[in-house]
Amino acid sequence: MALKVFKFGGASVKDADSVRNLASVLKKFPDQKIIVVVSAMGKTTNVLEKLTDAYFLKQGNATSVLEEVKKYHFNIIANLFPDTTQTIYREVETVFADLERKVSMAPSDSYSKEYDQIVSVGELISTKIVSAYLHESGVKNTWMDVCEVIKTDNTYREGKVDWELTEQNITPFVPLRWVMGDVIVTQGFLGCTSDGFTTTLGREGSDYTASILAYCTNAESVTIWKDVPGVMNADPKWFDETQRIDQMSYQDAIELAYYGATVIHPKTIKPLQNKKIPLYVKSFLQPEEKGTVINDRQTHLPIPCFIFKVNQILLSISPKDFSFIVEENFSDIFKTFAEHRVKINVMQNSAISFSVCMDNDERKVPELIKTLQKNFRVLYNDHLELITIRYYNQPTIDRVCIGKKILLEHKSRYTVQLVVKNV
Ligand code: ASP
Ligand code: MG
């Protein structure tokens, strides 16, 4: 029987009322087999990152951060389950006891590995709460440990999915899970190495989880439930008049996500495109509304789309002796970027220099610059903004550049990228 995959992000489970709302959305799909992928509640992942830093880097107080996460979740539980004898209390207490034990022991020497073991707790707890609440409200469901099905390599914090193994696992596993009703509740964002350690798939990776599960089960569709009415042509944070896009091709969705539209995680689209599984983006507040569908209809967007990224840094890299920049330099430079796991947002080269724009991530960029400086002269400009316009024309460029100076402009047929500075 055809099944759907639903993804509910942090904002859709941020408090008790949101969890109630999630249940009411699911009740609109009776007798439908659904895999429900859930993220950590609200901003839990950020707080667990703080806990990781306190534990591993000794920055901050681990005990008080842990108390904060605990209190937040038990408030939600108390609101949803007035009867304190319910098993969910014990279940979540056990998860926290394990976490407490973990952070009371000395860390291993891998920050990323410790990060994944700690941060993954957010999704474990959120899914336990959601699953228990669904039971309470009459939606029969099974809690599934996603780590039993999604297998990755051991690139912690950015696990690479082993598609073959994952497909092999899912095929017999998922059908067995339907015995308890039509709904499976599972964690977004997580995977597991072959030796049983939890990995994460990169921040905001729950959309990707939905896509992996849909691909491997040949689902009929994926729906991402959000607090916006669908994919908009710009983030309402930046623009007064934004418009919802009814339909979008996979190609456009990949491009937009790649350029930084935060509405969908960039890795989400490709697996769906390969199997032509449509992706719906809908509002969990107005579940009856149409939202956006992303599918294989090859249409261009009817309106330009704008993507703004702040906190950008532009590096200009040139050989120390002012010779030309040649292929060997490029291979050195790219290797350094890859080693520091810094993603390039735009790049451009001239005879004597190579310019690269990227997110100014303070955990990565200073180290990257230091390494580059061993072999190159590196100049930089920070506090910049990167504006991408898909289906641009001159008036749209003029509009976004008011009061700004363009430092780098990169145009392709449908997309323009502008690195700008306020003047
Ligand atoms: N909870 C994870 C994060 O905040 C994954 C997700 O929300 O998609 O990054
Ligand atoms: Mg999230």
Side-chain angles (χ1 to χ4, degrees):
M1 185 190 162
L3 78 100
K4 296 183 197 292
V5 178
F6 283 1
K7 181 259 175 173
F8 288 91
S12 65
V13 286
K14 69 177 193 300
D15 52 25
D17 280 341
S18 311
V19 177
R20 291 189 182 95
N21 182 66
L22 183 158
S24 75
V25 171
L26 277 183
K27 284 184 182 169
K28 295 188 192 301
F29 299 86
D31 304 320
Q32 166 71 55
K33 290 207 179 331
I34 305 174
I35 299 180
V36 180
V37 173
V38 185
S39 301
M41 297 181 138
K43 302 272 176 238
T44 300
T45 305
N46 295 356
V47 186
L48 290 171
E49 283 189 337
K50 270 198 333 203
L51 176 62
T52 311
D53 287 358
Y55 169 59
F56 193 90
L57 307 172
K58 310 275 177 281
Q59 291 171 0
N61 182 336
T63 316
S64 68
V65 181
L66 193 68
E67 275 313 304
E68 183 189 333
V69 191
K70 226 168 134 174
K71 206 171 132 204
Y72 169 68
H73 286 94
F74 276 106
N75 272 336
I76 295 176
I77 294 173
N79 192 313
L80 292 173
F81 308 91
D83 173 6
T84 56
T85 64
Q86 281 189 302
T87 50
I88 184 67
Y89 282 87
R90 252 46 73 203
E91 277 184 62
V92 176
E93 264 156 25
T94 308
V95 177
F96 276 117
D98 289 346
L99 182 58
E100 265 159 18
R101 200 169 319 113
K102 158 116 204 102
V103 301
S104 70
M105 294 186 307
S108 71
D109 56 5
S110 163
Y111 175 85
S112 296
K113 185 172 180 181
E114 297 294 354
Y115 174 103
D116 283 359
Q117 311 319 304
I118 292 174
V119 165
S120 55
V121 168
E123 270 72 11
L124 278 185
I125 300 175
S126 67
T127 50
K128 284 191 189 281
I129 297 175
V130 166
S131 171
Y133 183 74
L134 288 174
H135 272 301
E136 272 292 292
S137 58
V139 180
K140 286 207 189 100
N141 72 92
T142 308
W143 182 86
M144 179 172 90
D145 181 357
V146 82
C147 297
E148 292 191 52
V149 292
I150 297 186
K151 298 295 169 188
T152 68
D153 67 0
N154 58 4
T155 317
Y156 293 102
R157 298 181 69 186
E158 197 70 53
K160 307 273 171 302
V161 174
D162 182 331
W163 288 91
E164 222 171 284
L165 246 174
T166 302
E167 245 183 313
Q168 269 172 29
N169 282 334
I170 286 186
T171 314
F173 195 88
V174 165
L176 293 176
R177 291 300 177 278
W178 300 120
V179 288
M180 294 292 291
D182 288 334
V183 174
I184 289 178
V185 176
T186 199
Q187 305 82 45
F189 184 46
L190 312 184
C192 185
T193 65
S194 53
D195 46 1
F197 285 99
T198 303
T199 51
T200 59
L201 307 175
R203 283 303 308 266
E204 306 304 328
S206 298
D207 295 351
Y208 184 39
T209 304
S211 161
I212 298 165
L213 294 174
Y215 180 93
C216 295
T217 56
N218 295 310
E220 63 169 29
S221 66
V222 172
T223 306
I224 298 181
W225 296 95
K226 298 204 59 114
D227 54 1
V228 287
V231 179
M232 312 301 283
N233 75 322
D235 187 331
K237 204 162 68 198
W238 303 100
F239 263 31
D240 296 339
E241 330 115 40
T242 54
Q243 280 174 272
R244 183 174 54 81
I245 295 161
D246 292 337
Q247 184 269 334
M248 190 188 273
S249 66
Y250 291 118
Q251 196 54 43
D252 275 332
I254 288 174
E255 299 278 345
L256 291 176
Y258 176 79
Y259 290 124
T262 50
V263 60
I264 306 160
H265 188 277
K267 288 183 180 166
T268 309
I269 310 293
K270 199 67 200 158
L272 301 179
Q273 181 181 25
N274 289 359
K275 285 206 177 164
K276 296 197 176 11
I277 299 170
L279 170 65
Y280 297 91
V281 180
K282 283 169 168 267
S283 160
F284 57 73
L285 298 169
Q286 291 154 314
E288 324 282 357
E289 295 289 312
K290 240 174 89 204
T292 300
V293 59
I294 297 164
N295 56 21
D296 69 339
R297 252 182 63 210
Q298 289 305 319
T299 44
H300 284 180
L301 296 177
I303 44 173
C305 280
F306 299 84
I307 300 152
F308 296 84
K309 286 189 108 181
V310 293
N311 196 23
Q312 299 293 298
I313 181 166
L314 183 65
L315 302 190
S316 163
I317 305 165
S318 46
K320 280 189 169 156
D321 57 3
F322 295 97
S323 62
F324 288 137
I325 187 142
V326 292
E327 279 65 24
E328 288 87 272
N329 300 138
F330 284 128
S331 83
D332 258 16
I333 294 169
F334 286 129
K335 205 167 135 245
T336 311
F337 272 79
E339 279 164 6
H340 289 264
R341 295 215 214 155
V342 173
K343 185 180 158 287
I344 295 173
N345 292 334
V346 207
M347 57 189 174
Q348 206 164 62
N349 64 303
S350 71
I352 54 151
S353 86
F354 179 58
S355 303
V356 191
C357 175
M358 61 215 162
D359 297 353
N360 196 359
D361 180 340
E362 61 189 33
R363 289 176 189 230
K364 297 177 178 169
V365 173
E367 289 300 315
L368 168 81
I369 294 178
K370 240 196 255 163
T371 312
L372 287 169
Q373 277 170 337
K374 289 183 192 150
N375 296 319
F376 299 95
R377 208 166 79 98
V378 182
L379 301 174
Y380 68 86
N381 221 317
D382 54 6
H383 302 294
L384 306 179
E385 221 177 281
L386 171 63
I387 306 173
T388 304
I389 312 172
R390 179 105 173 130
Y391 301 112
Y392 66 95
N393 52 24
Q394 197 52 46
T396 56
I397 296 180
D398 295 343
R399 174 176 174 193
V400 296
C401 288
I402 296 169
K404 309 210 191 262
K405 184 175 156 203
I406 301 178
L407 302 187
L408 186 151
E409 175 171 331
H410 185 267
K411 275 184 181 168
S412 60
R413 190 150 151 221
Y414 297 120
T415 307
V416 65
Q417 290 185 283
L418 307 153
V419 180
V420 301
K421 184 186 182 118
N422 282 329
V423 286

